[in-house]
Amino acid sequence: MLTTTHVNFDHATFSKQPDYSEKDMRKEFAGLMPLRTIVIYCYDPRVKGIPAAVAREFGDTYPGEVILDADGNEAGTSASMLEVVVAGGRAMDGLRSISVGQHLFGVENIVVVHHTHCGATSFTPDGIIDAFAHEHGKDISNAYPRESISIADFNDSLQHDVALVRNAPGVPNSVNVYGYVYDIDTGELTKAVEDIAD
Ligand SMILES: [Zn+2]
């Protein structure tokens, strides 16, 4: 059963303010964060060290500091990295976030990180499709591209994801795209593939 509340959040919605102009708003947003790098990685709680490791590798500011406006509100950040945290760190789940990050702040590097001993290496597309059919009566066979569901080989998955980002319509041609493996035991990043913008 669906239940809804009727709380009004208009006061906290930029586009609902009386003097709102989308163009001016976008200009203002561009100054709120010096975005350079978006990192896409797994939602496994054991790999929380990935963004810091990527920041060291790329010379990014992370986590940075909150910047307050004249009224003392949290208005910006000195961080130059945004995180997209999804199952297996598969790039498919991050494409819309890349487009939005580019639109609001501009981005230079997209870094896809897969990690050792990832849960995504423990099952296959057929396995999860069969399980959903039997356990939930749901057919997910066409819900997601098979190549993005799990991980069978890190070189293959990272090459696939870097190509997916490079060829996505919502990603500017000017970005550099990288694929790394993060070793969960040592914290080490190993580059598997890179596609530098021409
Ligand atoms: Zn994982």
Side-chain angles (χ1 to χ4, degrees), residues 42-44 46-47 86-89 115-120 151:
C42 186
Y43 64 11
D44 184 332
R46 299 173 300 164
V47 297
V86 296
H115 71 92
T116 59
H117 307 299
C118 182
I151 295 175

Side-chain angles (χ1 to χ4, degrees), residues 101-169:
Q102 166 60 34
H103 181 66
L104 293 181
F105 306 112
V107 65
E108 295 171 31
N109 305 306
I110 308 297
V111 185
V112 180
V113 184
H114 297 166
H115 71 92
T116 59
H117 307 299
C118 182
T121 67
S122 74
F123 64 91
T124 62
D126 284 339
I128 193 172
I129 289 166
D130 289 350
F132 263 80
H134 290 111
E135 295 166 14
H136 308 291
K138 293 271 193 177
D139 177 10
I140 62 165
S141 58
N142 293 312
Y144 316 104
R146 290 180 70 89
E147 310 75 39
S148 292
I149 291 178
S150 57
I151 295 175
D153 178 292
F154 287 116
N155 287 301
D156 290 348
S157 61
L158 286 165
Q159 280 176 32
H160 175 275
D161 281 12
V162 166
L164 187 75
V165 171
R166 170 58 74 214
N167 296 319

